[in-house]
């Protein structure tokens, strides 16, 4: 099934919004401490137990690999402002800024190849994505209930 760039951009936008709600819904718990104390408390809490340390290390290295790819892709497609995505990814949430970058990447690709589809997905691909989206949404909801 061909995927249109418009549908893909809508999906990326939805991911960015849900990621913003999920991350900042939890980050709000720190803000009453002020910017410096909130940052110190947040990063201290990432060291709280083996699970938090594991996921934080995992996210740092994933972010680094994604940053390399984003820089190369932005240069290849002559996209401007790529460092803004990287900096905001560190300040807001990488899960928010990567989908926004991907929207702009799709727009750059559309400019180059107006009639080309964004790609093809099979039934198993779609089913797998639905499962991952559902699990992500459930975990985000559970995390917000704990906040």
């Amino acid at each position: 099934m061909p995927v249109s760039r418009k549908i893909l951009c809508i999906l990326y936008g939805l991911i960015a919004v849900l990621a913003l709600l999920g991350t900042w819904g939890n980050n709000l718990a720190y803000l009453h401490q002020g910017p410096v104390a909130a940052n110190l408390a947040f990063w201290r809490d990432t060291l709280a137990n083996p699970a938090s340390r594991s996921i934080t290390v995992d996210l740092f290295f994933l972010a680094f690999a994604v940053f390399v790819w984003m820089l190369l892709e932005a240069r290849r497609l002559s996209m401007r402002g790529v460092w803004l995505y990287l900096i905001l990814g560190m300040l807001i949430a990488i899960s928010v800024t990567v989908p926004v970058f991907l929207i702009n990447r799709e727009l750059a690709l559309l400019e180059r190849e107006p009639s080309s589809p964004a790609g093809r997905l099979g039934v198993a691909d779609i089913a797998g994505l639905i499962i991952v989206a559902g699990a992500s949404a459930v975990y985000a909801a559970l995390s917000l209930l704990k906040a």
Side-chain angles (χ1 to χ4, degrees), residues 20-126:
L20 182 65
L21 293 173
T23 55
W24 279 88
N26 284 289
N27 292 346
L28 290 175
Y30 292 95
L31 293 185
H32 72 279
Q33 300 176 42
V36 174
N39 267 290
L40 292 173
F42 176 88
W43 290 108
R44 183 179 56 247
D45 285 354
T46 67
L47 297 169
N49 58 56
S52 62
R53 292 188 297 270
S54 172
I55 197 72
T56 302
V57 169
D58 191 30
L59 287 174
F60 270 117
F61 281 103
L62 173 63
F64 182 59
V66 169
F67 284 0
V68 170
W69 174 79
M70 287 172 71
L71 283 166
L72 291 170
E73 191 68 355
R75 299 300 180 239
R76 181 179 77 84
L77 297 174
S78 301
M79 294 171 64
R80 297 166 47 146
V82 67
W83 277 100
L84 189 59
Y85 296 106
L86 306 183
I87 292 165
L88 290 176
M90 292 181 284
L91 295 175
I92 296 172
I94 191 69
S95 60
V96 173
T97 60
V98 169
V100 174
F101 171 83
L102 291 172
I103 291 169
N104 288 314
R105 177 183 176 269
E106 287 302 318
L107 296 174
L109 289 170
L110 183 62
E111 242 179 63
R112 287 178 163 219
E113 307 161 5
S115 62
S116 71
R120 293 195 172 282
L121 293 175
V123 174
D125 298 324
I126 293 169

